[in-house]
Structure formats: C-alpha cells, structure tokens
Amino acid sequence: MLIQPFNIVECLSSMKYSAWFVSSSKKECDKALEDRKRYETYIEIDPWGKVVDCGCECDGFRFKKRCKHITELLNVLKEWGEISEIPEF
C-alpha cells in the first residue's frame, strides 16, 4: 500500500496541499538523512487550476517566487492525479 506523500485541506474556494521536503543542498548532503533540515511547503490552487498562494520555509523561497520544493510538490501532485497540469504563476 502506498502512503500519500502530501496533506490536503479543502477550503471553500480552493484546495491547499502541503508536504515536507528534506534539504538536498551541498552542505546538507554530507549529513545523515535524519539530521538534514526539513522544509514545510504548501500550495493553494483554485478550482480553475490557478495558484492562489504558495510558500516554503526554505531560504530559496525568500528570494524567488518558486523554489525547487514548490516545483517538487507540484510534480508529486501531478503524479498522484490531484492536478492535470502544472499551473502557471
């Protein structure tokens, strides 16, 4: 049995998905998996497939609108059939 790798929160006018990702930076790769930093990532999508809100705890999100964790979450959602295509920002 597969375990769904993300959480779903149904809002009145959107769906909010969240997941935890482990750091894969060069500094962190030398550490054991359980010792690496973890980042909570979320994305909120309206019924028409547009991004309402998104966020990530990683440092990269502070400088860019779409960090790699948000992209990874979108890819997971597409693989699991939650979204049919990656939404534009």
Side-chain angles (χ1 to χ4, degrees):
M1 181 169 95
L2 292 174
I3 297 174
Q4 182 176 298
F6 53 89
N7 296 318
I8 301 173
V9 176
E10 289 187 47
C11 302
L12 290 175
S13 60
S14 63
M15 296 288 280
K16 186 173 182 178
Y17 303 93
S18 65
W20 288 88
F21 290 96
V22 177
S23 175
S24 59
S25 70
K26 290 181 182 180
K27 288 192 277 185
E28 295 279 320
C29 281
D30 293 338
K31 296 180 181 178
L33 190 60
E34 53 274 350
D35 294 333
R36 294 183 191 181
K37 291 181 184 175
R38 286 164 171 56
Y39 305 112
E40 185 174 18
T41 304
Y42 73 89
I43 189 157
E44 189 172 348
I45 302 174
D46 70 14
W48 301 275
K50 301 216 186 234
V51 175
V52 175
D53 192 17
C54 63
C56 184
E57 294 178 335
C58 76
D59 294 332
F61 184 74
R62 295 179 194 147
F63 304 110
K64 296 185 270 183
K65 176 69 175 171
R66 188 171 170 180
C67 68
K68 65 182 178 180
H69 304 113
I70 290 173
T71 302
E72 287 178 33
L73 178 55
L74 287 168
N75 288 328
V76 168
L77 293 174
K78 187 173 180 183
E79 286 176 23
W80 278 75
E82 290 292 322
I83 58 174
S84 57
E85 60 185 51
I86 305 290
E88 294 184 22
F89 285 77

